[in-house]
Amino acid sequence: MHNIFLALAGFFGATGIILGSLASHALKYKLTVSQLALFQLGVQYQILHAIALLAIAIWLHYRHDTLIKLIGLCFCLGILFFSGTLYGVACFGLNSITAPIGGVSFILGWLLLIAVAMRRPKITPHNQP
């Protein structure tokens, strides 16, 4: 599973850079200031969470945990629904009804990260005092 998240981190990172470049060069003359701001906000959240997804992939490589996988899934859904909706609203005037789903996914992912961090480690023969 960590390889999937690693590949998705690369994909979301690369497409975030491409979309940011597109906004800076081609779209700045076609969108209003508020539309461009929405688009750029989508890019910022996409790149930030691509980096977080990279960290999740590395973490999963060393610790197989269902909650960590769920964090990665939440970040992926957040990118798709939040950033994707902002791109659609900015460029095509689409309804922003799915943006809250993405926002909640991001928040849930970060809250799950806290839950994983606060759990007591399991005692195994490798980490006994």
Side-chain angles (χ1 to χ4, degrees), residues 12-13 16-17 20 42-52 79 83 87:
F12 287 134
I17 298 298
V43 169
Q44 289 172 351
Y45 272 78
Q46 179 173 336
I47 292 174
L48 171 71
H49 286 89
I51 294 167
I79 290 169
S83 294
Y87 302 144

Side-chain angles (χ1 to χ4, degrees), residues 12-31 36 39-44 46-47 87 91:
F12 287 134
T15 55
I17 298 298
I18 291 166
L19 291 169
S21 178
L22 179 70
S24 294
H25 299 289
L27 295 180
K28 71 179 179 180
Y29 300 113
K30 298 186 186 306
L31 300 178
L36 192 57
F39 195 94
Q40 289 172 331
L41 182 63
V43 169
Q44 289 172 351
Q46 179 173 336
I47 292 174
Y87 302 144
C91 293

Side-chain angles (χ1 to χ4, degrees), residues 81-100:
F81 284 108
F82 185 79
S83 294
T85 297
L86 293 184
Y87 302 144
V89 169
C91 293
F92 307 111
L94 298 179
N95 194 329
S96 64
I97 196 163
T98 58

Side-chain angles (χ1 to χ4, degrees), residues 8-119:
L8 286 170
F11 173 77
F12 287 134
T15 55
I17 298 298
I18 291 166
L19 291 169
S21 178
L22 179 70
S24 294
H25 299 289
L27 295 180
K28 71 179 179 180
Y29 300 113
K30 298 186 186 306
L31 300 178
T32 66
V33 171
S34 74
Q35 288 171 317
L36 192 57
L38 271 179
F39 195 94
Q40 289 172 331
L41 182 63
V43 169
Q44 289 172 351
Y45 272 78
Q46 179 173 336
I47 292 174
L48 171 71
H49 286 89
I51 294 167
L53 195 56
L54 175 63
I56 293 300
I58 294 168
W59 196 7
L60 270 175
H61 179 72
Y62 293 100
R63 182 174 170 191
H64 301 285
D65 188 307
T66 303
L67 282 183
I68 298 171
K69 292 176 187 175
L70 192 54
I71 295 167
L73 179 62
C74 287
F75 288 167
C76 289
L77 290 174
I79 290 169
L80 292 173
F81 284 108
F82 185 79
S83 294
T85 297
L86 293 184
Y87 302 144
V89 169
C91 293
F92 307 111
L94 298 179
N95 194 329
S96 64
I97 196 163
T98 58
I101 296 169
V104 169
S105 295
F106 283 147
I107 293 167
L108 182 59
W110 289 108
L111 291 174
L112 285 170
L113 184 94
I114 294 168
V116 171
M118 299 302 290
R119 282 194 310 203

